[in-house]
Amino acid sequence: MACFRCVFSTRFPQSHRLFLHLASPLPRAPAPTAAAAAPQPPFFIRQINMQAQNVAARLSSSGFLHAQGLVGGKWTDAYDGKTIEVRNPATGEVIANVPCMGRNETNDAITSAYDAFNSWKKLTAADRSKRLRKWYDLLMAHKEELGQLITLEQGKPLKEAIGEVGYGAGFIEFSAEEAKRVYGDIIPSPLPDRRLFVLKQPVGVVGAITPWNFPLAMITRKVGPALACGCTVVIKPSELTPLTALAAAELSLQAGIPPGVVNVVMGNASEIGEALLSSPKVRKITFTGSTAVGKKLMAGSAGTVKKVSLELGGNAPCIVFDDADLEVALKGTLATKFRNSGQTCVCANRILVQEGIYDKFADAFSTAVQNMKVGNGFGEDVVQGPLINEAAVQKVESLIKDAISKGAKVILGGKRHSLGMTFYEPTVISDVKNEMLISREEVFGPVAPLLKFKTEEEAIHMANDTNAGLAAYLFTTNVQRSWRVSEALEYGIVGVNEGIVSTEVAPFGGVKQSGVGREGSKYGMDEYLEIKYVCLGNLS
């Protein structure tokens, strides 16, 4: 098994560095020397550091961690030996060095996937289903370790991370079930000596590009249906969170998915992306990320006329009407706003509250937010971890600064947390207007902007006044209103009196500039299939 080296940053004393090898027992950290004894990092950082070491030690014995790419069933380094650091966002420490791959490694991964496609597509649907089911079983058997790994490299609270494993594994389970339900059609022929058939066949090699905010689920909801349909994949996970992807890939091999069917490369994003786009062997690109990058991928796919699925940025409105059940509205809004520290594409980006309930809602909401515990994801009762990196914090700061300069008021938070690093205080701001940047751009942080509206028509206009169209939410006890507003909202997903809407059994995706295609459900399966019409003649 390949060596997995965790080299903690030199900014911390030698006693807090760790060299972790999966193929051998965990060595003891050397005793601190006089030179290393001072200065000590803050107690909080030392505490997180020891927790991270303990987690890393437990993960080392799990047998499925890798810090190399996967090409053709073989774990491999970058051909030029270059590496990139994977850091713990809660401490800034380097927890692993992984290969910085590029064009050559990606081309080899594409060739591997292309070769494997010829045999994988010929397996029966029942056979592919059994292997996917075994993969699901292994993911669930290792949900604790995978959850710890997600928290270590992404920062979300452990309970939330373990929840992601269950959510992500669900896409593999659903795909295993749907693999046996890829049905065709027989069309009644207008001529008596002909028979007309419609077949559904796998599109081919799929390039899957995934973000850092859900290191497992964003992969499984693409790879699950792709494999179920008979496709093979080249996965490019985020360089910020590649370890979960590599662990999942190892488990796919253990599940009996043949070498070359699942490949993982990471590193130079532009080179990897260009290789996937330019190769005629890659027949589909599936991507979750920003709208700007999605547009480039869509344009780049035109050269070889690839099929594309794009789940892009959002600007989700959460509309709270006067007649809403306040308790339900508070619970739902908190869930959709602060999940993963606000770092999800379907987070409520704007909270529109009707004027009759505005002050009451703002007070109750702020009180609830004030009670949220911020800290290291491994800490007890922590509900909000750090933001992913410094750039994410700076974006939040700039949006809040713009809003305040234009008349918004900070009710709660509005600054970096005393814990330091990339921790940010859960924030509520009032008197937000549509023209402020915080209403126009995706915040991707723990900031809840409150906007006031008067009428239902005004709320719908405000909600739709954006190029994004991924998710929207509304809270009302009026059934007629729930139907009217749901139908009027220009969004691919609408939650009514519910803040958590994602599930593997329902179609996930947006309209307008929030993307094309759907993931999850039977509709997500179609994204990986081509339709072939067969006319069988001369039957008289």
Side-chain angles (χ1 to χ4, degrees), residues 156-228:
K156 66 179 62 176
L158 181 58
K159 182 178 179 181
E160 192 173 327
I162 293 174
E164 181 188 336
V165 178
Y167 170 59
F171 286 99
I172 302 299
E173 181 186 36
F174 183 86
S175 299
E177 296 164 345
E178 286 296 297
K180 296 179 286 187
R181 303 187 185 105
V182 179
Y183 303 139
D185 286 300
I186 298 177
I187 301 173
S189 174
L191 299 174
D193 63 341
R194 296 182 185 179
R195 298 295 181 268
L196 311 181
F197 301 92
V198 173
L199 306 178
K200 291 184 179 180
Q201 297 181 317
V203 66
V205 176
V206 175
I209 304 173
T210 62
W212 48 264
N213 55 342
F214 289 89
L216 180 70
M218 295 299 99
I219 289 173
T220 56
R221 76 181 190 185
K222 300 177 186 299
V223 175
L227 267 58

Side-chain angles (χ1 to χ4, degrees), residues 48-93:
I48 293 181
N49 183 41
M50 294 307 298
Q51 288 174 321
Q53 289 187 29
N54 292 336
V55 169
R58 289 197 301 271
L59 292 174
S60 70
S61 62
S62 63
F64 65 87
L65 279 181
H66 289 272
Q68 293 176 297
L70 180 63
V71 178
K74 297 180 180 179
W75 298 101
T76 181
D77 292 319
Y79 296 163
D80 60 7
K82 292 182 180 179
T83 61
I84 51 178
E85 298 173 338
V86 181
R87 293 180 179 270
N88 180 346
T91 64
E93 295 170 329

